[in-house]
Amino acid sequence: MSRLRTLAVGDVRRDAGLSLAELLVAMMVFGIIVAVVTTTFISLTKATAQARGVDANTRVASNVMNEVSRVVRAARTIPTPGGTEATSFSLATTESLTLTTAVNGADSLTTVPRKVTFGVAADRSLVEMTVVGTPLKTDFWQFVSTPTKRTLGGSVVAPASSDAPLFTYYDFTGAVLTPDSGGALSATQLPAIAAVQVSVTIDRTATASSQAVTLQTTVSLSNLVGGATT
């Protein structure tokens, strides 16, 4: 009988379950595990989004830089019927430029002069406008056809006052050509352009975030040795 009573007491103790202290400890451990897992998941999600954003902006910035560099590097002067050379650049500001270039386009396997304009649109996207030259006389060209428009993608972040602008221009001595208060070079400065520094910052919006990507390069204009005569 005594043994049966002992077994019965043992069964009652086993059926009693967890004590309050044990339950609190278990809940605390479970809470810590959940907090660690949640924090890790959130961190990984943010890191993945950050990496994807930086990667996307890097690809856009690279495409922009490659296209601008390709076109600007092939800048050329244009002969005029009067026997002089028309300057390659007809517009040069801190956020836009227009020049004649000898770069080949997708529509031609031959070198046909083109007048190309790069400019920042109202939504801060970089737009490329191209006018293919048409023969005027032998070795002379005019640019009167309908321009084609191409948006290079992304949002060009407006630079701070301490940052380099989108376009900076240098003369044949390596000195910076200082624009006027409106950010444009004068007509007398345009023939002196020998190199263009391109500094582009790309982000999803016009305001730089932690995902913004900045690329900078200086393009020398080897075709413009000595500049234009007009």
Side-chain angles (χ1 to χ4, degrees):
M1 179 64 71
S2 175
R3 178 171 177 77
L4 290 175
R5 186 180 296 111
T6 301
L7 291 175
V9 172
D11 291 340
V12 171
R13 288 177 178 174
R14 284 195 296 271
D15 292 341
L18 296 175
S19 66
L20 179 60
E22 292 172 330
L23 181 60
L24 290 175
V25 171
M27 291 177 63
M28 183 176 65
V29 172
F30 179 74
I32 292 173
I33 294 174
V34 170
V36 170
V37 172
T38 302
T39 302
T40 302
F41 176 77
I42 293 174
S43 298
L44 289 175
T45 301
K46 289 182 178 179
T48 301
Q50 174 78 3
R52 288 178 177 174
V54 171
D55 178 66
N57 289 334
T58 299
R59 284 186 275 116
V60 172
S62 296
N63 290 338
V64 168
M65 187 64 74
N66 289 339
E67 177 62 12
V68 174
S69 299
R70 184 179 74 95
V71 172
V72 172
R73 185 173 290 109
R76 57 164 289 184
T77 56
I78 298 295
T80 65
T84 58
E85 294 281 326
T87 181
S88 175
F89 288 83
S90 54
L91 174 70
T93 77
T94 54
E95 289 209 330
S96 64
L97 61 82
T98 300
L99 77 163
T100 51
T101 178
V103 69
N104 288 344
D107 58 335
S108 176
L109 297 178
T110 59
T111 302
V112 177
R114 299 160 190 272
K115 178 167 284 190
V116 180
T117 297
F118 291 104
V120 179
D123 62 356
R124 299 299 301 176
S125 61
L126 189 63
V127 176
E128 178 184 20
M129 303 288 290
T130 302
V131 178
V132 179
T134 54
L136 179 61
K137 294 180 180 179
T138 304
D139 294 330
F140 301 122
W141 302 87
Q142 59 182 348
F143 303 94
V144 294
S145 59
T146 302
T148 58
K149 179 180 179 180
R150 177 186 175 192
T151 300
L152 299 182
S155 293
V156 178
V157 176
S161 58
S162 59
D163 295 335
L166 179 59
F167 299 120
T168 303
Y169 307 92
Y170 297 86
D171 65 15
F172 290 91
T173 68
V176 175
L177 292 167
T178 304
D180 60 22
S181 58
L185 297 187
S186 66
T188 57
Q189 290 175 305
L190 294 177
I193 298 175
V196 180
Q197 177 182 280
V198 185
S199 302
V200 60
T201 299
I202 297 294
D203 205 350
R204 295 172 300 172
T205 63
T207 303
S209 70
S210 60
Q211 298 178 3
V213 173
T214 300
L215 297 180
Q216 184 179 93
T217 189
T218 299
V219 183
S220 297
L221 311 180
S222 57
N223 292 340
L224 303 184
V225 176
T229 57
T230 62

